[in-house]
Amino acid sequence: MFDYNESLEQARQRNINDALLEDIGKGDWTAMLVPDDGTVSAKLIVRQEAVLCGQAWFEGCLKKLDSSAQVKWSYDEGDLMQANTTVCDIVAKPRALLSAERPAINFLQTLSWTATITREHVKAIEGASPNPKGCAVLDTRKTIPGLRQAQKYAVTVGGGKNQRLALWHGILIKENHIAAAGGVSAAMKAAIALNSGVDIQIEVENMSELQEALSAGAKSILIDNFSLDQMREAVAVTKGAALLEASGGVSLDQLKHIAATGVDRISIGKLTKDVIAVDFSLRVQ
């Protein structure tokens, strides 16, 4: 059943097919009220300042129903859109446009929000880190089911970086794995023995576990719910021997202070799990 790792392009096509299937099903009765000959023109307008993300999903929905549809974008992917401006102009068959409208905008409003809030978090730590390698803002696996690849793509559009894409993409040893394996050292030993070819990261909850993880050969450590003082101590103890990633209920207000401790990365679940739709409006001319 689970015999391959899905690529971004495969995920995008699945997203588009799923969205159109759930919305249109056997047919769009309301779209049949309008003639299907010729074309109509429409404008997509954004009602608030936001980072544009999801062009390929938007166009994919439209062109799945009308392969000859034309979309002329006023902004590039990743651009900051200004409120009440035209995002794109569309020429398409009437029924195709009306049937694709909601699924297409659903993708754009969701992915643009993720890109926007990620950009906000990335900017919040600019210049704050004493780490010569800088400090990266990362996402998590707390995503909308079925939209993992899309949302993680949106994080990169916003200037963030991806934690592991999925379970197949890396080993992250968390507290339950450690408990089941018999401790930090035992869990690290078992992970290394797998010879998986993927990165290994282990979560620690105190300085003692951090020391044990380093002794066991950990090169990437997740320091969960550490205080700022504990983070600074962890950086001093680690001395660059392993990547340090802070996590655990990180708020925007805390972000700059966390980056200032010198950690390498900060992972933030709200980038993909606390979704607010960006306001778009499509108007047929």
Side-chain angles (χ1 to χ4, degrees), residues 156-221:
T156 66
V157 170
K161 297 186 182 299
N162 295 147
Q163 240 281 14
R164 57 177 180 165
L165 292 176
L167 295 174
W168 53 262
H169 193 239
I171 296 172
L172 174 49
I173 309 167
K174 303 196 79 173
E175 65 271 19
N176 287 335
H177 301 99
I178 291 170
V184 169
S185 298
M188 278 298 304
K189 182 178 180 180
I192 294 169
L194 288 175
N195 196 28
S196 62
V198 299
D199 291 339
I200 301 171
Q201 184 179 45
I202 187 163
E203 178 183 79
V204 300
E205 297 181 332
N206 52 57
M207 292 303 301
S208 176
E209 289 186 348
L210 174 68
Q211 293 277 18
E212 186 177 357
L214 289 168
S215 297
K219 299 301 179 184
S220 182
I221 301 173

Side-chain angles (χ1 to χ4, degrees), residues 246-263:
S247 72
V250 176
S251 69
L252 186 61
D253 291 340
Q254 298 170 319
L255 207 58
K256 188 173 184 178
H257 302 296
I258 294 173
T261 66
V263 295

Side-chain angles (χ1 to χ4, degrees), residues 128-164:
S129 176
N131 191 323
K133 295 176 291 184
C135 183
V137 171
L138 275 68
D139 52 26
T140 70
R141 284 169 46 240
K142 296 173 182 177
T143 53
I144 299 171
L147 290 180
R148 168 76 55 79
Q149 293 267 21
Q151 287 188 283
K152 281 183 168 281
Y153 162 77
V155 167
T156 66
V157 170
K161 297 186 182 299
N162 295 147
Q163 240 281 14
R164 57 177 180 165

Side-chain angles (χ1 to χ4, degrees), residues 65-142:
L65 303 183
D66 177 7
S67 60
S68 63
Q70 300 173 42
V71 182
K72 183 180 179 182
W73 294 94
S74 302
Y75 294 98
D76 292 329
E77 189 90 331
D79 280 353
L80 181 64
M81 303 176 289
Q82 298 303 309
N84 299 311
T85 58
T86 298
V87 180
C88 64
D89 291 280
I90 306 164
V91 178
K93 294 177 180 179
R95 291 183 186 176
L97 175 61
L98 295 173
S99 294
E101 174 185 359
R102 177 43 53 197
I105 294 177
N106 282 349
F107 284 121
L108 212 61
Q109 68 187 22
T110 301
L111 301 184
S112 292
W113 169 259
T114 295
T116 300
I117 193 174
T118 300
R119 180 79 51 87
E120 183 180 11
H121 281 70
V122 170
K123 284 186 173 295
I125 63 171
E126 285 183 351
S129 176
N131 191 323
K133 295 176 291 184
C135 183
V137 171
L138 275 68
D139 52 26
T140 70
R141 284 169 46 240
K142 296 173 182 177

Side-chain angles (χ1 to χ4, degrees), residues 24 26-36 95 98-99:
I24 299 171
K26 292 183 177 180
D28 179 354
W29 290 105
T30 317
M32 294 179 189
L33 301 178
V34 303
D36 202 32
R95 291 183 186 176
L98 295 173
S99 294

